[in-house]
Amino acid sequence: MATSGKLASFRLPPLPTVGELIKLYNLRAEKQLSQNFLLDLRLTDKIVRQAGSLKDAHVCEVGPGPGGLTRSILNAGAADLLVVEKDTRFIPGLKLLSEAAPGRLRIIHGDILTYRMDRGFSSSIAKPWEEDPPNLHIIGNLPFSVSTPLLIKWLENIANRTGPFVYGRTQLTLTFQKEVAERLTASTSSRQRSRLSIMAQYLCTVRSCFTIPGRAFVPKPEVDVGVVHFTPLVQPQIQQSFKLVEKVVRNIFQFRRKYCHKGIEMLFPEARRAELAREMMFQADVEPTLRPTELTIPHIRALADAYAHLCSKEPGLLSYEFREELRLKHLGRKIKTPMEIFMDTAAGLPSSDYPHQEKPTNGLC
């Protein structure tokens, strides 16, 4: 009974429902911001439970919107909840929640992509990386449009132990489109195995929690939503820089239906492409005819190590991008010498063939 009394002390006082707040403040989900409200508190409670015990925890909630998930976090016993909300329309409703939970809810009106979370909490909550995770959690029902770039940013933060990970191995509980959630947790050789699978799994233990049907959201999205939990690993499975690993994985998976040597070749300038790709795969002891989806994380680790070794011998390789080489080659074909322009004019070619007369593409090519 004493435990029940303690839990009861975490509960918020009677408040308007989330649906009533939406009507009160005339809120609606903005399609261009990929907003979808989750009004069922049983589901928001279930999301929060995936984070583990939040008693006396510090939490950052991303994009609280009308505050459904916010209520569940407060009711779970969080002592310090920092919410980061970009949309001004939701601030009054969040302030109402803050008044109902004095000293427990802080509101940041800003963009999570630029917010300095390393300044959001006291350094006293930090734990050494090698120890258990700190009592700090990131939880969010993420807008679809921001979920992947935000996760990539956080994964780079994990690799560099910056941002929210200056406090230690901060855990994350986040929502994604079901297809993205499946990619994040996909195993080797599965249909959903992707660049995102590798980048997340070499740095974290990634756990698929449950799926929320699209009909539970307002407005209803065209897809279901997956809840995924991340715990950063004490030691990443690949001991190379995040940018190097990302470059290797990106090039391999751009040709996901072809043999892996096709993408590996694109890491190198055309003049030495075949030679250096063979050397890299020989050093890594990776079979060139494996498909990208068949590569395990140990395979990727061996390839990243071999690529890093080649870059150490020829530093210019790391900055090489084959698309830039293609662009310059394409540009070189269009640029004509004065003599070529003279000869074209004499032959009666239309002026539109000249580089300075080309029509703008609006960046669509």
Side-chain angles (χ1 to χ4, degrees), residues 188 284-287 290 294-304:
T188 307
D285 193 24
V286 170
E287 175 57 51
L290 287 173
E294 296 175 312
L295 295 174
T296 63
I297 288 183
H299 282 141
I300 299 290
R301 177 172 60 240
L303 288 167

Side-chain angles (χ1 to χ4, degrees), residues 201-233:
Q201 293 172 29
Y202 100 83
L203 288 163
C204 298
T205 298
V206 187
R207 174 170 59 88
S208 176
C209 301
F210 65 98
T211 300
I212 305 173
R215 64 177 180 274
F217 293 85
V218 178
K220 177 191 171 193
E222 296 178 359
V223 295
D224 293 338
V225 171
V227 180
V228 183
H229 182 78
F230 304 81
T231 303
L233 295 168

Side-chain angles (χ1 to χ4, degrees), residues 6 19 42 44 80 84 92 214 239 261 272 341 348 354:
K6 269 189 174 180
R42 292 170 300 179
T44 57
D80 176 30
V84 183
Q239 300 293 322
H261 73 81
R272 301 185 61 198
I341 293 174
Y354 302 150

Side-chain angles (χ1 to χ4, degrees), residues 265-275 320 322 325-326 329:
E265 287 173 356
M266 296 301 107
L267 289 164
F268 305 106
E270 187 176 20
R272 301 185 61 198
R273 188 161 287 162
E275 167 207 347
Y320 170 77
F322 87 94
E325 184 178 30
L326 278 179
K329 186 185 291 186

Side-chain angles (χ1 to χ4, degrees), residues 110-346:
D111 188 342
I112 191 62
L113 285 168
T114 56
Y115 177 66
R116 291 285 304 271
M117 206 183 298
D118 55 332
R119 299 175 179 174
F121 298 91
S122 167
S123 59
S124 64
I125 71 170
K127 279 195 172 184
W129 194 265
E130 297 73 20
E131 294 184 9
D132 289 340
N135 197 14
L136 170 64
H137 301 261
I138 297 173
I139 301 176
N141 174 29
L142 303 178
F144 295 156
S145 61
V146 78
S147 60
T148 300
L150 183 57
L151 180 63
I152 293 294
K153 177 189 173 183
W154 280 336
L155 290 173
E156 185 167 9
N157 287 157
I158 291 171
N160 299 326
R161 303 185 186 182
T162 56
F165 306 97
V166 297
Y167 306 103
R169 295 187 296 121
T170 302
Q171 298 177 83
L172 307 96
T173 307
L174 306 168
T175 62
F176 300 90
Q177 292 184 54
K178 184 183 176 184
E179 183 182 356
V180 176
E182 288 174 345
R183 289 176 186 169
L184 285 165
T185 57
S187 57
T188 307
S189 297
S190 69
R191 187 174 59 87
Q192 294 287 2
R193 187 72 162 178
S194 69
R195 174 175 74 108
L196 211 49
S197 316
I198 302 293
M199 298 308 293
Q201 293 172 29
Y202 100 83
L203 288 163
C204 298
T205 298
V206 187
R207 174 170 59 88
S208 176
C209 301
F210 65 98
T211 300
I212 305 173
R215 64 177 180 274
F217 293 85
V218 178
K220 177 191 171 193
E222 296 178 359
V223 295
D224 293 338
V225 171
V227 180
V228 183
H229 182 78
F230 304 81
T231 303
L233 295 168
V234 173
Q235 286 293 333
Q237 295 193 64
I238 302 173
Q239 300 293 322
Q240 298 295 339
S241 74
F242 181 87
K243 290 191 182 300
L244 185 146
V245 177
E246 193 278 331
K247 183 181 179 184
V248 171
V249 174
R250 170 168 38 90
N251 276 273
I252 290 172
F253 274 91
Q254 69 183 323
F255 301 110
R256 58 179 291 115
R257 290 183 176 83
K258 298 186 180 295
Y259 295 138
C260 68
H261 73 81
K262 175 68 173 175
I264 289 169
E265 287 173 356
M266 296 301 107
L267 289 164
F268 305 106
E270 187 176 20
R272 301 185 61 198
R273 188 161 287 162
E275 167 207 347
L276 291 174
R278 276 196 303 271
E279 184 177 347
M280 177 171 160
M281 286 183 287
F282 177 78
Q283 284 186 20
D285 193 24
V286 170
E287 175 57 51
T289 54
L290 287 173
R291 308 279 181 186
T293 55
E294 296 175 312
L295 295 174
T296 63
I297 288 183
H299 282 141
I300 299 290
R301 177 172 60 240
L303 288 167
D305 289 346
Y307 182 61
H309 177 70
L310 290 171
C311 290
S312 70
K313 294 196 297 182
E314 302 184 43
L317 286 178
L318 191 56
S319 59
Y320 170 77
E321 290 289 347
F322 87 94
R323 292 189 187 279
E324 180 65 11
E325 184 178 30
L326 278 179
R327 188 187 72 82
L328 292 174
K329 186 185 291 186
H330 181 68
L331 191 62
R333 283 200 296 265
K334 291 187 175 183
I335 295 175
K336 300 181 180 180
T337 65
M339 180 55 72
E340 287 173 326
I341 293 174
F342 172 78
M343 295 299 291
D344 287 349
T345 305

